[in-house]
């Protein structure tokens, strides 16, 4: 009975969201989206900015790619093209969002705009779209899965940013500063997240 | 088999084409800001431009050249202008380059301000005079082991109007995988020779523009430059002047001194030039000859690393140490300094201790 996909819709959506964010944290259990983490996680506010952009984009692209897969690739028997098609869809979507954000709100553009191009090549986003294929979810559940995975990623990078703010990099051996210490921090954090594993099975 | 390959290729082609068209269409619709009006200096000039590009390039399209050394990437901070209205919020790229005073005065990096609506801005009047010139290199002369003089004949426009001491921006061309860039060089020729521009360039190891000048630029080649820029020039007062320079900092002062000779400006003037040893000196005979033509002028080259046993009879030591011998009290003086920031800062400190007044200090830092 703990098969989340079969529960009543609201409960299943919530469960999928939480499990994607915590037990299956895409950054800490699958180590996806590392390049942006290493590059942008120096401060909490930039981390949160990038995190917010990722949440938005994973949610929307997982939905879009679900539809593309279900209604284009499967009927045409072109499932094997999913990788390249998903990438194209994500890139186009991010471009589009960048334009819209620039037009409607300059403040939002200044806060998120510089992160959006980074996201086009963020493997976590592509990862979410690909993992969704292995699940029996419907559209709503897929959206919840995308949002959850994005939220988990954002949460993780914000925590990493917080820890990095506290680390005095001057005091570290030279080879360890920057990416080195960040990887160690992520390693320790993912050990902590192992504690969540198996709590919900999806 | 063939059919499925065809289907795959066709599908991908159609999908990407569709998305591309969608994006182009969206860009036209969403990012179309229409015609915008740029109101410059309280209505002195008003331009209508198509919105969507940066303020810097919109102005350049209308022949107003704001200095820019990085080509609009937001890393040189030369392109500052005052945007009084319509500039939008300060972006994350420009923020680090703006001082609190800049922010208060609405100063922005014009390459980072996008024209999205009507903009009211203020720029120094002299920038209206700046133009882009096409010219030909007529000679490239070696002055010292690491210094050349370029003489450029102007073709289009044919003549330039500038004040001695101002600078131009030279455009290097692409070579060996390095981008075209713009760099500032002080004009070393005199304003009356208005069909030519001369500059003195010192080689910077690995420097993008200087390597182009030393290794790639040849006599007879077309060159592009814009200017004149800058407010480093002789004041209208009759106050005694102290000039200080090192290396290629010679250029503007060489122009100012010869301009003084031409105008019969006989104010008291003394020129300290810093070099490591005699190999760093150039124009030495010409400058000592100027002492005879300008009645109150003297030239003091100072060498810091000259071999103690050499035949050098001039000053040995750094300018801050030599200067008090010549000018015990700098209170009444105006100081004009040109060269590296180390040299300038050290000399300004030394002279301030001897009474030099802040408003009478003028300098161009080359790095
Ligand atoms: C107002 C103004 C007037 C100037 N007038 C002259 C002039 O008359 N003659 C002249 O030769 N130069 C002058 N300069 C300096 C000139 O604009 C360039 O900065 C210089 O020629 C180096 O350019 P580059 O493209 O070769 O080097 P870049 O590729 O820009 O720099 C390469 C490396 O050298 C360092 N560097 C940059 N500039 C210098 C420098 N001047 N000395 C030592 N290291 C440097 C940089 O930090 C960088 O690491 C002036 C600069 C200013 C701002
Ligand atoms: S042009 Fe260099 S910062 Fe704007």
């Amino acid at each position: 009975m703990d098969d989340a996909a079969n529960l009543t819709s609201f409960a299943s959506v919530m469960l999928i969201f939480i499990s994607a964010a915590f037990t299956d944290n895409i950054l800490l259990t699958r180590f996806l989206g590392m390049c942006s983490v290493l590059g942008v996680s120096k401060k909490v506010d930039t981390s949160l900015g990038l995190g917010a952009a990722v949440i938005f984009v994973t949610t929307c692209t997982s939905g879009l790619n679900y539809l593309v897969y279900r209604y284009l690739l499967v009927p045409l028997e072109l499932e094997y093209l999913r990788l390249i098609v998903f990438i194209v869809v994500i890139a186009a979507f991010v471009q589009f969002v960048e334009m819209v954000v620039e037009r409607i709100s300059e403040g939002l553009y200044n806060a998120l705009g510089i992160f959006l191009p980074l996201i086009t090549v963020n493997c976590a986003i592509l990862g979410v779209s690909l993992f969704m294929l292995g699940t029996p979810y419907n559209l709503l559940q897929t959206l919840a899965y995308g949002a959850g995975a994005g939220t988990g990623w954002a949460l993780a990078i914000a925590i990493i940013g917080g820890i990095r703010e506290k680390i005095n990099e001057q005091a570290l051996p030279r080879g360890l500063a920057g990416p080195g210490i960040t990887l160690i921090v992520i390693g320790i954090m993912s050990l902590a997240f192992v504690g969540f594993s198996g709590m919900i099975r999806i | 088999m063939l059919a499925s390959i065809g289907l795959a290729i066709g599908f991908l082609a159609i999908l990407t084409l569709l998305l591309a068209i969608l994006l182009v269409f969206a860009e036209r619709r969403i990012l179309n800001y229409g015609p915008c009006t740029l109101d410059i200096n309280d209505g002195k000039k008003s331009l209508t431009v198509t919105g969507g590009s940066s303020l810097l390039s919109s102005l350049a399209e209308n022949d107003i050249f704001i200095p820019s050394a990085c080509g609009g990437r937001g890393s040189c901070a030369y392109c500052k202008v005052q945007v009084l209205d319509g500039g939008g919020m300060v972006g994350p790229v420009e923020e680090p380059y703006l001082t609190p005073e800049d922010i208060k005065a609405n100063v922005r990096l014009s390459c980072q301000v996008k024209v999205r609506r009507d903009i009211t801005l203020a720029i120094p009047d002299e920038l209206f005079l700046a133009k882009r010139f096409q010219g030909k290199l007529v000679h490239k002369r070696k002055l010292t082991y690491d210094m050349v003089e370029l003489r450029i004949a102007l073709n289009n426009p044919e003549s330039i109007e500038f004040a001695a001491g101002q600078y131009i921006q030279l455009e290097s061309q692409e070579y060996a995988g390095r981008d075209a860039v713009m760099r500032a060089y002080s004009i070393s020729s005199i304003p009356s020779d208005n069909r030519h521009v001369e500059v003195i360039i010192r080689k910077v190891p690995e420097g993008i523009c200087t390597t182009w000048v030393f290794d790639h630029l040849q006599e007879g080649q077309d060159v592009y430059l814009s200017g004149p820029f800058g407010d480093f020039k002789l004041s209208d007062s009759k106050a005694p002047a102290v000039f200080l320079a090192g290396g290629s900092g010679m250029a503007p002062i060489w122009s100012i001194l010869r301009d003084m000779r031409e105008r019969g400006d006989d104010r008291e003037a003394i020129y300290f030039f810093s070099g490591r040893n005699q190999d760093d000196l150039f124009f030495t005979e010409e400058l000592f000859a100027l002492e005879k033509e300008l009645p109150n002028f003297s030239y003091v080259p100072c060498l810091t690393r000259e071999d103690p046993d050499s035949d050098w009879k001039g000053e040995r030591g750094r300018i801050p140490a030599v200067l008090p011998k010549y000018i015990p009290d700098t209170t009444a003086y105006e100081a004009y300094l040109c060269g590296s920031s180390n040299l300038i800062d050290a000399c300004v400190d030394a002279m301030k201790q001897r009474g030099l007044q802040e408003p009478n200090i003028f300098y161009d830092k080359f790095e």
Side-chain angles (χ1 to χ4, degrees):
Chain A
M1 268 311 284
D2 59 354
D3 196 358
N6 295 331
L7 288 175
T8 56
S9 72
F10 178 74
S12 77
V13 163
M14 281 319 287
L15 261 187
I16 289 170
F17 179 88
I18 289 170
S19 76
F22 295 103
T23 54
D24 233 4
N25 188 296
I26 193 153
L27 205 165
L28 295 172
T29 62
R30 310 224 198 211
F31 279 82
L32 285 178
M34 290 302 291
C35 30
S36 344
V37 172
L38 294 179
V40 186
S41 67
K42 278 205 194 71
K43 287 217 186 85
V44 176
D45 42 341
T46 41
S47 301
L48 279 175
L50 183 61
V54 166
I55 296 178
F56 180 72
V57 174
T58 44
T59 314
C60 299
T61 55
S62 61
L64 272 178
N65 282 333
Y66 175 86
L67 296 175
V68 169
Y69 189 78
R70 181 93 190 264
Y71 296 108
L72 283 177
L73 294 182
V74 173
L76 290 171
E77 295 183 359
L78 288 173
E79 290 94 333
Y80 62 92
L81 286 181
R82 59 186 180 268
L83 199 67
I84 189 160
V85 168
F86 286 180
I87 292 177
V88 173
V89 169
I90 291 171
F93 179 76
V94 171
Q95 285 260 307
F96 183 76
V97 172
E98 197 180 344
M99 279 185 236
V100 173
V101 169
E102 180 173 355
R103 185 75 215 218
I104 55 173
S105 157
E106 217 179 312
L108 197 63
Y109 183 66
N110 278 343
L112 294 189
I114 45 169
F115 300 123
L116 284 172
L118 262 180
I119 286 180
T120 320
V121 289
N122 186 322
C123 40
I125 312 264
L126 182 62
V128 170
S129 287
L130 290 173
F131 295 147
M132 134 206 118
L133 298 184
T135 61
Y137 299 158
N138 61 26
L139 180 61
L140 195 64
Q141 291 167 327
T142 303
L143 288 175
Y145 177 67
T151 308
W153 194 91
L155 197 72
I157 189 176
I159 298 174
I160 295 168
I163 295 176
R164 282 187 74 178
E165 256 179 25
K166 295 260 187 301
I167 294 177
N168 172 10
E169 295 218 337
Q170 250 77 53
L172 295 173
R174 261 234 273 139
L176 212 56
I181 191 72
T182 312
L183 283 171
I184 294 176
V185 167
I186 296 171
I188 297 172
M189 278 174 59
S190 64
L191 283 181
F193 267 70
V194 169
F196 287 122
S197 66
M199 271 174 39
I200 315 170
R201 212 154 44 83
I202 47 170
Chain B
M1 179 66 191
L2 220 57
S4 73
I5 293 178
L7 182 68
I9 294 176
F11 177 78
L12 276 183
I14 291 173
L15 181 79
T16 37
L17 199 72
L18 221 71
L19 287 173
I21 292 174
L22 217 71
L23 281 179
V24 171
F25 188 70
E27 190 171 356
R28 290 248 173 88
R29 286 302 300 261
I30 298 176
L31 296 187
N32 179 2
Y33 296 96
C36 302
T37 308
L38 305 181
D39 178 356
I40 307 171
N41 292 5
D42 258 339
K44 225 179 185 174
K45 192 154 191 171
S46 170
L47 305 170
T48 307
V49 301
T50 316
S53 24
S54 75
L55 185 56
L56 180 74
S57 53
S58 299
L59 288 170
E61 275 164 25
N62 288 283
D63 294 327
I64 297 175
F65 296 101
I66 310 289
S68 98
C70 67
R73 260 177 301 192
S75 59
C76 70
Y78 280 29
C79 61
K80 286 183 180 174
V81 300
Q82 224 180 344
V83 179
L84 302 170
D85 187 42
M89 292 165 59
V90 174
V93 178
E94 42 185 335
E95 222 178 322
Y97 296 99
L98 301 176
T99 63
E101 294 89 70
D102 282 345
I103 303 227
K104 227 182 269 157
N106 289 316
V107 171
R108 304 283 301 273
L109 298 187
S110 60
C111 65
Q112 300 299 315
V113 174
K114 199 162 171 179
V115 182
R116 295 191 169 95
R117 54 189 87 83
D118 295 351
I119 289 183
T120 312
L121 68 153
I123 60 179
D125 277 330
E126 52 149 39
L127 287 184
F128 284 126
L129 300 175
K131 300 190 181 100
R132 184 165 184 263
F133 294 87
Q134 181 258 324
K136 199 184 250 344
L137 182 66
V138 285
H139 80 218
K140 174 163 142 185
R141 177 160 72 111
K142 201 171 160 179
L143 296 176
T144 70
Y145 62 98
D146 69 346
M147 208 93 75
V148 291
E149 178 186 72
L150 305 182
R151 182 171 170 82
I152 297 157
L154 302 176
N155 287 336
N156 182 23
E158 278 189 331
S159 67
I160 183 169
E161 205 176 304
F162 68 96
Q166 286 192 293
Y167 68 91
I168 51 99
Q169 297 227 62
L170 182 68
E171 299 176 15
S172 73
Q173 278 145 35
E174 259 175 58
Y175 65 92
R178 304 185 78 169
D179 287 339
V181 295
M182 281 206 248
R183 293 286 183 265
Y185 295 101
S186 304
I187 306 175
S188 59
S189 50
I190 47 179
S192 60
D193 181 13
N194 63 5
R195 306 285 292 267
H196 294 94
V197 166
E198 285 175 8
V199 290
I200 297 171
I201 298 184
R202 176 190 214 151
K203 188 163 175 101
V204 170
E206 297 293 306
I208 301 179
C209 184
T210 54
T211 307
W212 176 73
V213 166
F214 277 77
D215 301 347
H216 299 264
L217 180 63
Q218 311 224 323
E219 287 179 6
Q221 197 168 326
D222 279 349
V223 274
Y224 295 86
L225 52 97
S226 49
F229 300 116
D231 43 20
F232 184 76
K233 44 195 160 196
L234 205 56
S235 79
D236 293 330
S237 75
K238 282 282 162 212
V242 48
F243 297 104
L244 279 144
S248 54
M250 171 73 87
I253 293 169
W254 179 232
S255 171
I256 290 176
L257 288 172
R258 291 183 301 154
D259 185 49
M260 282 171 64
R261 173 180 64 186
E262 209 169 83
R263 292 185 293 106
D265 186 333
D266 58 0
R267 77 178 76 187
E268 196 185 323
I270 181 164
Y271 178 17
F272 295 90
F273 182 75
S274 168
R276 280 188 313 189
N277 53 40
Q278 291 192 56
D279 293 340
D280 285 328
L281 298 181
F282 55 103
F283 296 157
T284 312
E285 280 162 32
E286 291 93 326
L287 282 161
F288 281 123
L290 261 185
E291 285 187 340
K292 307 210 172 63
E293 294 171 84
L294 284 169
N296 299 314
F297 170 68
S298 47
Y299 177 51
V300 186
C302 304
L303 300 182
T304 52
R305 302 260 178 85
E306 178 69 2
D307 181 357
D309 305 324
S310 76
D311 60 349
W312 176 247
K313 298 204 182 57
E315 291 294 344
R316 290 164 192 267
R318 297 168 59 244
I319 297 181
V322 174
L323 188 127
K325 235 167 59 182
Y326 292 81
I327 320 175
D329 181 359
T330 37
T331 315
Y333 277 79
E334 285 177 344
Y336 299 87
L337 306 96
C338 235
S340 71
S341 34
N342 285 342
L343 178 77
I344 293 179
D345 293 342
C347 293
V348 164
D349 279 351
M351 288 191 291
K352 269 195 188 157
Q353 280 170 16
R354 303 186 169 269
L356 183 67
Q357 306 293 307
E358 186 76 46
N360 296 333
I361 305 173
F362 309 95
Y363 58 77
D364 256 353
K365 287 184 177 176
F366 283 8
E367 36 166 314

